[in-house]
């Protein structure tokens, strides 16, 4: 592994700026790492030529004294983002071969900031999954192994599993992820990296394939808190093409980074002590509280009483929206078409969607269709919307007493492939800590806290007030500085 | 107008009618995309990525479409909801790229309002108010073409995403004529407002017709809904046909099924499309891609200020300056007519005479010549000039008609025609006296008869003088001079 691929984005940026190395060297190192890392199955498409082209532009820009914020930084882009002229399939057979004529706002902003694209990152099909096992391209293998001498293949988490594996294995300096109910934060925790989901509306959803529109948010994943701040600045901003985009200026988050938390209060939700969560995770949580106290914050107990309904609420609202969002994949205009001989339009729909969607996507379309159906709508969907409002109120009340909230990111460390595929409910439980912030649209971040007894990373989770990404980043920075998490997976691939 | 009743085997039946009118909003762009909306363009040339529902595309409301719907609501005296929301109506069809139509079920943009119709054009007291329940805004679907390929249907998405207003009436109409009057009045208001061109042939306005029957005084019967009827005449035919079908069915011991029907103009019949049991479950839910629409008072005030004078106000204004109720109603029915007449008044025409002339003379001539106000070369200013020449005696009534005919033919201004053809009426007593003397001399026998008491011969002398002067003599002067010479 090249020295260059271990550097942070801040280091790459500064090194290219200072002339310590060229952007081309960086791109070549990463292109080589991507090829060497193929056994992880992190990328669905490799675009070394795009990474090189951006690097050449960066080197020219440097010569001309016109470096941009991300000049020469090679990134991986989750396959959920439409990228112009490059396969964008959302991990699904139904979009196999689909090359958009357009570029998503977020990936476009990153490119405009000078970043190069190494390729498209594997993911759970349409972002539905927590282990990257629902992908039509097969699962991503985590670069991490347990220290038990066994060689079990582990999940990097999901749905942004390719994104997480790529950063953690040094196959990208940083990546985009999307988070609907934890899809950035849980994989970040499983692979020992940082990932932030900003306030709903900060990142434009234009050009990102929709899973659940009221929950979907893009965000960065990277090695460090600072790198996340750098990427987040480049990704966010008002977009008139997204009616839910926030028309607010983009804060200078990197410049605002400070781990001095004097005068801040960190909320510890009493309801988040959940049966069955390993004691190591509770212990890390306690350690996290101490780190934040050390940084000057005062811990306070808070209550989020409706949290226990968050997961069932999420699994009504998200599938409901998905069942409608995915109706456009019908074989009429693009993507897969299966037209049985002599069949009518309905037969084409049925055959196309049966062949194109995997089991988990079909399950969620059916759940979503059911909860929106006449006679069930009020009992499920309306009720879920009401609970969602109560969950938002929980947070509003809690933030009257604290500035940010600390919880574990996930209820376990990374698990083995196949371990949970036969039990969807166990799989859904992975997002129990992540989902409430999604339902409330709040900024939330996972930062590595340490390793468990099996040598696997565990993450700590910070939830902030609406629009207070800075508060979340600063608290995460305080933990990062104190946790001293430097572990990287042993290279076996 | 007497009450409309249908005679059945078991007595008289009353028809209950409600209309859902889909009116295409006049706007250069679609409801949620920037694509153009021209009618008759080549297939799939007016389609954006959003209209084709490409992956990751998002709808953004077009303010102009919302403005037009609010203006329409204000013109119908309707409640404008400060807070409304878009919902998705989910179903699969090849002309519906998203797999759902963005519409407004739960919280429409416009609430209750009303439309005033005249049951009898000539009787201004025959008004009836037809209630509007709501107006909501929604996307139109694309179009399937089944005649392009032996085994496949083609899809044209030009219309996909075009903004529609669905104007839902209350079940307040009781006859085909009332439904016709309502539709015509609604279309007139939409055209005044400029929010819909009302072209039913091009499909920019179409109606779903809800019909039920009952014995007068009974509860409402079960209704059927006949979809997508595209002319006033067809709407009236559907009501008649559907009412009779339902009455026969009930009188034979059957029951009306709540169902959706289609009208076949060639057979003048409706047929069942789907029953209530087969009805789609549309799984409406709030569209999470769109925030609720919140209107400011300023926006609504601007919409209000932009409204033109509406037909009812205009009619009352015309009546106030002496125009007969019938003429006022004819002149205000179509916005083009009203604008023309307003320009005529502006150019100085006297309202009552002007209205009479437009309704009787101008419309008669245009009808005869298969022309319209838009195609004729006569401008309101020239018409006003003509009327003035008649009113001030420069032209006699007869000459006026001649000049008008020449105007229709040549498009020339009346002053030019009068000048060039020497059609000006004369009040020159010298010339008139000379002609009178000639006529009296040539008809000495008739003069004797007149003087002996046959006074009805006076008209004969007037006619002879006018004829001799080719109609150009001022009839008043001729009368006066003749009396002076004969009496």
């Amino acid at each position: 592994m090249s020295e260059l691929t271990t550097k942070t984005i801040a280091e790459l940026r500064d090194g290219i700026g200072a002339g310590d190395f060229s952007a081309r060297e960086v791109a070549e190192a990463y292109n080589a790492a991507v090829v060497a890392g193929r056994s992880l199955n992190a990328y669905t498409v490799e675009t070394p030529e795009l990474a090189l082209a951006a690097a050449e532009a960066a080197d020219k820009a440097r010569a001309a004294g016109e470096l941009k914020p991300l000049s020469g930084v090679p990134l991986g882009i989750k396959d959920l983002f439409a990228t112009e002229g490059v396969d964008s399939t959302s991990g699904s057979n139904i979009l196999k071969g689909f090359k958009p004529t357009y570029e998503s706002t977020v990936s476009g902003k990153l490119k405009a900031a000078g970043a190069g694209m190494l390729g498209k990152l594997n993911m759970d099909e349409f972002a539905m999954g927590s282990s990257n096992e629902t992908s039509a391209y097969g699962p991503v293998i985590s670069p991490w192994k347990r220290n038990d001498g066994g060689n079990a293949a582990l999940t990097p988490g999901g749905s942004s599993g390719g994104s997480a594996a790529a950063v953690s294995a040094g196959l990208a300096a940083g990546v985009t992820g999307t988070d609907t109910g934890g899809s950035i934060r849980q994989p970040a925790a499983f692979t020992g990296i940082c990932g932030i989901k900003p306030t709903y509306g900060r990142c434009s959803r234009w050009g990102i394939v929709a899973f659940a529109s009221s929950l979907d948010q893009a965000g960065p994943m990277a090695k460090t808190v600072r790198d996340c701040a750098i990427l987040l600045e480049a990704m966010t901003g008002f977009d008139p093409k997204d009616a839910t985009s926030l028309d607010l200026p983009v804060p200078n988050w990197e410049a605002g980074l400070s781990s001095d938390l004097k005068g801040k209060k960190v909320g510890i939700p009493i309801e988040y002590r959940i049966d069955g969560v390993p004691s190591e995770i509770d212990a890390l949580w306690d350690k996290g509280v101490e780190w934040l106290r050390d940084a000057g914050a005062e811990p306070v107990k808070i209550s989020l009483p409706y949290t226990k309904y968050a997961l069932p609420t999420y699994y009504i609202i998200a599938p409901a929206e998905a069942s409608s969002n995915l109706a456009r994949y019908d074989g009429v205009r693009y993507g897969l078409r299966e037209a049985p001989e002599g069949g009518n339009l309905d037969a084409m729909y049925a055959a196309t969607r049966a062949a194109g969607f995997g089991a988990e996507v079909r399950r969620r379309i059916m759940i979503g269709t059911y909860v929106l159906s006449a006679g069930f709508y009020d009992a499920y969907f309306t009720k879920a919307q009401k609970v969602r409002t109560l969950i938002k109120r929980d947070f509003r009340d809690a933030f009257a007493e604290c500035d940010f909230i600390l919880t574990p990111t996930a209820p376990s460390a990374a698990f083995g492939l196949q371990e949970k595929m036969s039990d969807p409910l166990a799989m859904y439980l992975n997002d129990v800590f992540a989902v409430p912030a999604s339902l409330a649209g709040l900024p939330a971040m996972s930062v590595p806290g340490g390793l468990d007894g099996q040598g696997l990373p565990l993450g700590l989770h910070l939830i902030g007030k609406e629009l207070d990404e800075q508060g979340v980043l600063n608290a995460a920075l305080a933990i990062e500085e104190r946790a001293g998490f430097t572990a990287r997976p042993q290279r076996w691939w | 107008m007497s009450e409309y009743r249908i005679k059945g085997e078991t007595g008289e039946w009353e028809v209950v009618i409600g209309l859902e009118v889909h009116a295409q909003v006049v706007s250069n762009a679609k409801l949620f995309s920037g694509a153009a909306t021209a009618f008759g363009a080549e297939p799939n040339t007016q389609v954006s990525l959003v209209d084709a529902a490409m992956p990751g595309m998002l709808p953004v409301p077009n303010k102009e479409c919302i403005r037009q719907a609010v203006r329409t609501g204000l013109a119908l005296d309707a409640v404008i909801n400060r807070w409304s929301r878009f919902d998705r109506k989910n179903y699969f069809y090849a002309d519906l790229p998203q797999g759902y139509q963005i519409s407004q079920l739960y919280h429409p943009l416009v609430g209750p309002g009303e439309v005033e119709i005249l049951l009898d054009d000539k009787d201004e007291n025959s008004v009836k108010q037809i209630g509007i329940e709501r107006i909501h805004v929604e996307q139109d679907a694309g179009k399937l073409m089944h005649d392009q390929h032996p085994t496949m249907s083609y899809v044209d998405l030009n219309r996909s995403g075009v903004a529609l207003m669905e104007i839902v009436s209350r079940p307040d109409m009781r006859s085909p004529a009332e439904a016709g009057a309502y539709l015509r009045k609604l279309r007139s208001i939409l055209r005044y407002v400029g929010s819909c061109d009302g072209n039913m042939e091009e499909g920019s306005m179409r109606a779903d017709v809800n019909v039920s029957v009952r014995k007068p005084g009974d509860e409402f019967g079960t209704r059927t809904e006949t979809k997508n009827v595209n002319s006033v005449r067809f709407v009236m035919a559907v009501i008649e046909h559907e009412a009779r079908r339902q009455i026969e069915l009930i009188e034979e011991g059957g029951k009306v099924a709540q169902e959706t029907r289609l009208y076949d103009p060639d057979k003048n019949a409706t047929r069942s499309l789907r029953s209530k049991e087969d009805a789609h479950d549309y799984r409406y839910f709030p569209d999470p891609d769109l925030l609720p629409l919140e209107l400011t008072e300023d926006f609504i005030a601007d919409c209000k200020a932009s409204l033109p004078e509406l037909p009812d106000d205009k009619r009352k204004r015309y009546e106030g300056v002496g125009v007969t109720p019938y003429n006022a109603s004819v002149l205000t029915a179509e916005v083009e007519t009203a604008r023309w007449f307003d320009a005529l008044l502006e150019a100085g025409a006297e309202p009552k005479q002007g209205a009479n002339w437009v309704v009787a003379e101008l419309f008669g001539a245009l009808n005869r010549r298969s022309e319209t106000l838009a195609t004729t070369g006569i401008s309101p200013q020239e018409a006003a000039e003509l009327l003035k020449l008649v009113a001030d005696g420069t032209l006699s009534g007869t000459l006026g008609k001649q000049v008008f005919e020449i105007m229709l033919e040549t498009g020339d201004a009346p002053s030019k025609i009068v000048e060039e053809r020497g059609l000006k009426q004369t009040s020159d007593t010298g010339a008139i006296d000379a002609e009178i003397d000639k006529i009296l001399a040539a008809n000495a026998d008739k003069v004797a008869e007149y003087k002996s008491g046959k006074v009805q011969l006076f008209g004969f002398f007037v006619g002879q003088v006018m004829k001799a002067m080719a109609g150009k003599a001022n009839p008043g002067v001729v009368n006066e001079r003749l009396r002076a010479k004969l009496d």
Side-chain angles (χ1 to χ4, degrees):
Chain A
M1 194 158 35
S2 160
E3 176 89 348
L4 289 173
T5 59
T6 62
K7 292 195 182 301
T8 64
I9 290 172
E11 288 165 354
L12 290 176
R13 176 190 62 188
D14 298 345
I16 291 169
D20 298 343
F21 40 81
S22 70
R24 188 178 178 89
E25 289 173 82
V26 175
E28 282 171 347
Y30 269 107
N31 281 342
V34 169
V35 171
R38 280 180 185 159
S39 53
L40 301 179
N41 200 24
Y43 282 89
T44 57
V45 183
E46 295 169 6
T47 55
E49 68 290 351
L50 296 181
L52 280 178
E56 272 160 27
D59 287 332
K60 274 189 198 141
R62 179 179 181 271
E66 292 166 354
L67 281 173
K68 296 179 197 164
L70 294 174
S71 281
V73 177
L75 303 177
I77 304 294
K78 190 179 182 181
D79 200 23
L80 202 63
F81 293 76
T83 43
E84 188 178 349
V86 178
D87 278 23
S88 304
T89 62
S90 301
S92 181
N93 276 324
I94 210 158
L95 280 172
K96 269 261 162 82
F98 176 67
K99 281 187 174 54
T101 58
Y102 47 93
E103 181 82 28
S104 82
T105 298
V106 166
S107 57
K109 276 174 174 281
L110 289 169
K111 289 178 182 177
M117 182 169 91
L118 293 160
K120 300 299 287 291
L121 293 161
N122 202 348
M123 54 179 280
D124 280 301
E125 184 178 8
F126 286 108
M128 297 179 191
S130 305
S131 65
N132 214 116
E133 289 171 283
T134 70
S135 169
Y137 298 89
V140 176
I141 320 287
S142 174
W144 292 85
K145 296 280 186 194
R146 292 182 182 126
N147 59 10
D148 56 8
N151 194 30
L154 302 181
T155 173
S159 67
S160 309
S163 301
V167 172
S168 138
L171 313 187
V175 295
T176 63
T178 62
D179 191 316
T180 304
S183 280
I184 285 176
R185 293 162 285 159
Q186 180 253 23
F190 277 15
T191 55
I193 64 169
C194 296
I196 182 167
K197 173 194 95 68
T199 306
Y200 181 81
R202 280 278 198 202
C203 281
S204 167
R205 293 182 297 114
W206 193 89
I208 301 175
V209 168
F211 161 15
S213 312
S214 74
L215 296 156
D216 296 343
Q217 252 313 277
M221 300 162 78
K223 295 186 187 86
T224 65
V225 173
R226 176 173 299 271
D227 283 1
C228 282
I230 294 170
L231 290 177
L232 193 61
E233 270 180 50
M235 293 166 70
T236 49
F238 175 61
D239 182 2
K241 292 187 287 189
D242 174 359
T244 62
S245 171
L246 292 168
D247 191 359
L248 294 171
V250 177
N252 191 338
W253 286 302
E254 188 192 8
L257 284 175
S258 161
S259 56
D260 179 358
L261 303 181
K262 265 192 228 66
K264 300 286 182 192
K265 289 183 178 167
V266 50
I268 313 300
I270 51 177
E271 292 85 359
Y272 279 51
R273 299 269 175 199
I274 295 173
D275 287 346
V277 171
S279 58
E280 287 172 297
I281 285 178
D282 277 344
L284 177 68
W285 191 9
D286 294 339
K287 229 189 245 177
V289 175
E290 287 316 307
W291 287 331
L292 292 172
R293 193 199 299 275
D294 182 59
E298 176 198 341
V300 292
K301 284 205 165 119
I302 55 160
S303 174
L304 298 168
Y306 284 96
T307 284
K308 57 177 176 288
Y309 302 115
L311 215 48
T313 298
Y314 174 84
Y315 275 100
I316 289 169
I317 292 173
E321 293 181 11
S323 70
S324 175
N325 282 335
L326 269 56
R328 63 186 58 197
Y329 308 109
D330 56 7
V332 174
R333 298 167 312 286
Y334 49 77
L336 184 73
R337 173 187 290 179
E338 294 283 334
E341 195 67 34
N344 61 8
L345 183 63
D346 285 344
M348 185 179 99
Y349 289 150
T352 300
R353 291 165 67 83
F357 291 137
E360 182 62 24
V361 171
R362 292 204 300 272
R363 172 168 25 242
R364 296 203 197 186
I365 289 174
M366 284 189 280
I367 292 171
T369 303
Y370 179 82
V371 300
L372 290 176
S373 296
F376 301 105
Y377 183 86
D378 283 337
Y380 290 100
F381 190 75
T382 306
K383 177 81 86 173
Q385 295 285 40
K386 288 180 179 168
V387 177
R388 184 175 186 178
T389 302
L390 293 171
I391 289 169
K392 283 184 193 170
R393 192 180 301 170
D394 267 2
F395 279 109
R396 196 193 58 204
D397 294 348
F399 282 127
E401 294 162 31
C402 67
D403 298 289
F404 49 86
I405 294 168
L406 180 75
T407 79
T409 307
S412 74
F415 45 89
L417 294 181
Q418 293 303 325
E419 271 178 25
K420 295 192 178 178
M421 276 306 271
S422 56
D423 186 351
L425 284 182
M427 188 72 90
Y428 295 171
L429 272 172
N430 256 283
D431 292 321
V432 64
F433 296 127
V435 153
S438 293
L439 289 169
L442 300 172
M445 175 162 198
S446 182
V447 59
L451 298 176
D452 72 357
Q454 296 184 305
L456 297 180
L458 297 174
L460 285 168
H461 184 220
L462 292 145
I463 305 170
K465 296 177 181 171
E466 194 170 70
L467 302 178
D468 189 21
E469 286 79 6
Q470 191 74 64
V472 170
L473 288 162
N474 287 352
L477 183 66
I479 290 175
E480 186 180 57
E481 287 173 0
R482 286 161 182 79
F485 184 89
T486 53
R488 289 291 160 218
Q490 290 290 319
R491 188 167 167 199
W492 53 265
W493 57 90
Chain B
M1 191 193 272
S2 60
E3 283 177 353
Y4 179 84
R5 293 282 187 266
I6 296 178
K7 251 193 148 41
E9 299 286 322
T10 58
E12 291 201 322
W13 293 83
E14 184 182 45
V15 189
V16 176
I17 305 148
L19 295 176
E20 293 168 26
V21 173
H22 298 260
Q24 183 179 323
V25 176
V26 171
S27 160
N28 293 328
K30 295 182 180 182
L31 182 52
F32 296 112
S33 84
T37 56
F39 175 78
E42 283 295 302
N44 295 314
T45 56
Q46 320 257 304
V47 186
S48 76
L49 296 168
V50 175
D51 308 319
M54 300 304 282
M57 291 300 101
L58 298 172
V60 176
N62 174 347
K63 193 172 173 185
E64 176 60 14
C65 296
I66 304 302
R67 198 180 81 94
Q68 290 288 35
V70 169
R71 294 175 73 242
T72 303
L74 291 167
L76 300 179
D77 262 331
V79 175
I80 305 300
N81 292 322
R82 268 59 175 174
W83 192 96
S84 67
R85 203 175 62 185
F86 288 102
D87 301 301
R88 290 186 185 176
K89 177 181 183 179
N90 295 282
Y91 65 96
F92 283 94
Y93 202 53
D95 65 5
L96 190 73
Q98 293 167 142
Y100 55 84
Q101 176 196 31
I102 305 178
S103 181
Q104 297 188 299
L105 176 70
Y106 297 107
H107 298 279
L109 183 60
V110 179
E114 59 185 18
V115 170
E116 183 179 296
I117 60 169
L118 276 184
L119 302 181
D120 176 357
D121 268 353
K122 303 202 175 183
D123 177 5
E124 56 186 316
N125 294 317
S126 68
V127 295
K128 177 172 177 177
Q129 304 295 340
I130 307 297
I132 300 287
E133 196 171 292
R134 54 187 279 160
I135 304 177
H136 64 256
V137 183
E138 63 185 22
Q139 298 175 300
D140 208 343
K143 201 172 71 181
L144 291 190
M145 295 178 286
H146 301 292
D147 54 359
Q148 312 278 315
H149 187 279
T151 59
M152 282 191 277
S153 296
Y154 283 14
V155 188
D156 176 7
L157 295 180
N158 280 355
R159 215 177 55 191
S160 167
V162 163
L164 298 177
M165 295 179 279
E166 181 168 331
I167 304 165
V168 183
S169 85
R170 297 202 152 275
D172 287 351
M173 288 155 276
R174 294 290 178 271
S175 71
E178 284 185 23
Y182 166 78
L183 266 181
R184 282 191 299 268
K185 183 61 175 286
L186 184 62
R187 184 172 60 186
S188 161
I189 293 171
L190 294 175
R191 285 174 169 167
Y192 267 76
V193 170
S195 59
C196 171
D197 67 22
N199 281 335
M200 297 189 85
E201 317 74 53
E202 292 180 0
S204 49
M205 188 170 154
R206 39 191 206 267
D208 297 343
V209 186
N210 288 280
V211 176
S212 65
V213 296
R214 65 174 173 184
K215 290 285 175 62
D218 279 3
E219 298 282 297
F220 285 147
T222 303
R223 67 185 166 85
T224 63
E225 180 180 24
T226 305
K227 287 280 207 193
N228 271 331
V229 186
N230 66 354
S231 84
V232 175
R233 194 162 54 87
F234 290 161
V235 166
M236 293 169 71
V238 162
I239 294 166
E240 250 189 82
H241 168 85
E242 191 49 28
R244 286 184 195 284
R245 189 189 68 83
Q246 291 183 12
I247 291 166
E248 272 175 37
L249 191 64
I250 297 169
E251 291 189 332
E252 283 166 8
K255 266 191 169 169
V256 176
Q258 187 177 334
E259 60 183 0
T260 304
R261 300 180 70 85
L262 273 187
Y263 177 64
D264 182 342
D266 296 331
K267 296 185 189 146
N268 187 29
T270 65
R271 65 181 164 82
S272 180
L273 182 65
R274 56 177 176 263
S275 69
K276 193 183 176 188
E277 289 72 40
D278 304 332
H280 293 300
D281 181 351
Y282 289 119
R283 293 169 283 126
Y284 278 100
F285 76 107
D287 191 325
D289 283 332
L290 296 162
L291 299 175
L293 263 182
E294 293 182 60
L295 304 182
T296 64
E297 296 306 318
D298 279 354
F299 177 77
I300 295 169
D302 283 351
C303 288
K304 198 161 205 165
S306 76
L307 287 181
E309 186 182 32
L310 294 168
D312 289 340
D313 293 334
K314 220 179 251 292
R315 199 184 73 227
K316 282 170 198 146
R317 176 163 64 85
Y318 290 169
E319 288 176 21
V321 294
V323 176
T324 64
Y326 173 75
N327 281 350
S329 154
V330 171
L331 289 170
T332 54
E334 293 295 336
V335 66
E336 293 81 11
T337 315
R339 287 201 186 117
W340 204 95
F341 186 64
D342 277 339
L344 185 74
L345 296 183
E346 186 108 329
E350 196 283 323
K352 185 172 181 177
Q353 264 81 38
N356 283 337
W357 180 81
V358 170
V359 173
E361 303 293 329
L362 180 61
F363 285 177
L366 293 179
N367 236 342
R368 201 169 64 233
R369 300 165 60 89
S370 306
E371 284 191 79
T372 66
L373 280 179
T375 61
T376 179
I378 298 183
S379 71
Q381 292 71 26
E382 288 164 351
E385 198 187 331
L386 174 66
L387 290 169
K388 194 156 165 268
L389 289 171
V390 175
D392 70 8
T394 309
L395 290 178
S396 66
T398 317
L399 271 182
K401 281 181 190 175
Q402 277 183 39
V403 172
F404 176 47
E405 287 302 325
I406 298 168
M407 286 168 73
L408 284 166
E409 283 304 326
T410 64
D412 284 345
S415 52
K416 186 175 172 223
I417 296 167
V418 168
E419 196 64 37
E420 281 179 4
R421 310 202 178 197
L423 290 174
K424 206 166 178 174
Q425 168 171 288
T426 180
S427 303
D428 176 349
T429 47
I432 291 170
D433 280 351
E435 282 305 327
I436 289 176
D437 290 345
K438 272 193 234 164
I439 299 292
L440 295 185
N443 295 282
D445 50 339
K446 294 224 167 53
V447 173
E449 279 179 54
Y450 178 85
K451 293 207 166 172
S452 66
K454 206 169 172 188
V455 292
Q456 58 269 47
L457 276 169
F458 189 77
F460 165 79
F461 296 121
V462 173
Q464 289 297 306
V465 175
M466 294 300 287
K467 195 175 163 192
M469 297 191 71
K472 286 185 255 179
N474 181 327
V477 177
V478 172
N479 269 303
E480 183 202 317
R481 302 308 299 167
L482 260 176
R483 286 201 193 284
K485 289 188 189 276
L486 287 171
D487 297 344

